Amino acid sequence: EAQVTQNPRYLITVTGKKLTVTCSQNMNHEYMSWYRQDPGLGLRQIYYSMNVEVTDKGDVPEGYKVSRKEKRNFPLILESPSPNQTSLYFCASSPSPQGREEKLFFGSGTQLSVL
Amino acid sequence: AQTVTQSQPEMSVQEAETVTLSCTYDTSENNYYLFWYKQPPSRQMILVIRQEAYKQQNATENRFSVNFQKAAKSFSLKISDSQLGDTAMYFCAFRGWRDMRFGAGTRLTVKP
């Protein structure tokens, strides 16, 4: 089944404890991206990647890191999480690097709570 | 920078009636697409409909249609014959050359 697999679905952690949210797609998509969803703000892009080894900042990159060593994987790293990073996170992918017409394929989301 | 604005945080509609969700956007690009995504309580993000900026004809998908006014930068979603399963958050989204932006969302409740 074609899908974007995101783990974990729920995560509770404490301030300063490094964590990684994994994202993997099995559709050979070039484009991958991370979003955070907050009430009243919608989805905001954190980072995106148009291809392997190519990543760019989105609107809210502070406090996050990403890497794209393989086409299928795009992990999101929080090296020192803070409470203001408590949010619902989504990974998404689409076939082409600049496919404006392409819909995004979303993971199932990760609800992160930083205490 | 591109912006997407949804001015209706919450809306409700009676089952079988019609409802329109508003969305405005701002961009200097000419070649872009607009989308409506639905997010039910399951958190899944589901594409409802998409519109190419170069097409004057409004997109339609079964009970869902859009009113795309390019000059006004307006992209509203009309849901006809509303069903209980339409209850969800609806996000308007813009996709340009290197940009993907979402609005704040409209929470739609369909009442029996």
Side-chain angles (χ1 to χ4, degrees):
Chain A
E1 181 189 353
Q3 60 185 358
V4 177
T5 302
Q6 190 179 332
N7 283 299
R9 287 212 68 182
Y10 299 92
L11 180 58
I12 301 174
T13 189
V14 295
T15 299
K17 187 176 181 183
K18 181 179 179 179
L19 66 91
T20 299
V21 184
T22 62
C23 175
S24 180
Q25 50 89 9
N26 62 1
M27 297 168 281
N28 203 38
H29 285 176
E30 302 275 1
Y31 181 91
M32 297 186 75
S33 55
W34 277 102
Y35 302 85
R36 59 177 288 173
Q37 181 180 346
D38 301 289
L41 297 176
L43 282 80
R44 293 178 291 167
Q45 192 176 62
I46 302 171
Y47 271 95
Y48 64 97
S49 170
M50 295 212 174
N51 211 329
V52 176
E53 302 292 0
V54 179
T55 62
D56 280 296
K57 295 178 181 179
D59 292 325
V60 288
E62 295 78 21
Y64 304 95
K65 282 178 58 176
V66 293
S67 67
R68 188 93 183 271
K69 293 184 172 61
E70 312 163 275
K71 184 183 274 191
R72 64 183 294 127
N73 295 324
F74 191 47
L76 179 69
I77 303 158
L78 285 72
E79 297 223 332
S80 183
S82 61
N84 64 12
Q85 292 178 299
T86 292
S87 187
L88 176 60
Y89 291 85
F90 284 99
C91 179
S93 71
S94 65
S96 307
Q98 292 169 357
R100 296 175 182 86
E101 74 283 4
E102 296 168 354
K103 73 169 189 177
L104 291 176
F105 291 76
F106 285 87
S108 53
T110 296
Q111 181 64 58
L112 171 65
S113 295
V114 183
L115 306 177
Chain B
Q2 278 66 233
T3 59
V4 178
T5 303
Q6 293 179 250
S7 58
Q8 305 151 315
E10 293 189 17
M11 294 190 73
S12 63
V13 63
Q14 291 295 132
E15 196 175 5
E17 294 190 347
T18 295
V19 63
T20 299
L21 280 56
S22 301
C23 174
T24 58
Y25 62 95
D26 190 24
T27 183
S28 57
E29 296 187 35
N30 286 318
N31 185 11
Y32 56 88
Y33 276 72
L34 298 162
F35 302 81
W36 280 96
Y37 284 91
K38 169 185 176 181
Q39 185 183 52
S42 65
R43 294 187 338 201
Q44 186 182 6
M45 292 287 286
I46 303 164
L47 175 68
V48 175
I49 199 165
R50 84 186 90 189
Q51 173 79 41
E52 180 181 1
Y54 274 110
K55 279 193 176 172
Q56 294 198 349
Q57 186 175 5
N58 290 325
T60 299
E61 290 285 346
N62 301 313
R63 297 182 295 108
F64 299 88
S65 61
V66 299
N67 183 3
F68 175 48
Q69 303 287 329
K70 189 173 183 179
K73 294 189 170 69
S74 171
F75 182 60
S76 61
L77 175 69
K78 184 170 86 170
I79 306 174
S80 303
D81 186 24
S82 297
Q83 300 175 358
L84 296 178
D86 295 333
T87 292
M89 277 290 280
Y90 287 82
F91 292 101
C92 178
F94 167 100
R95 190 165 189 184
W97 178 57
R98 290 175 74 96
D99 211 3
M100 181 79 215
R101 288 183 182 266
F102 291 83
T106 296
R107 185 175 300 281
L108 176 67
T109 301
V110 180
K111 298 180 178 178

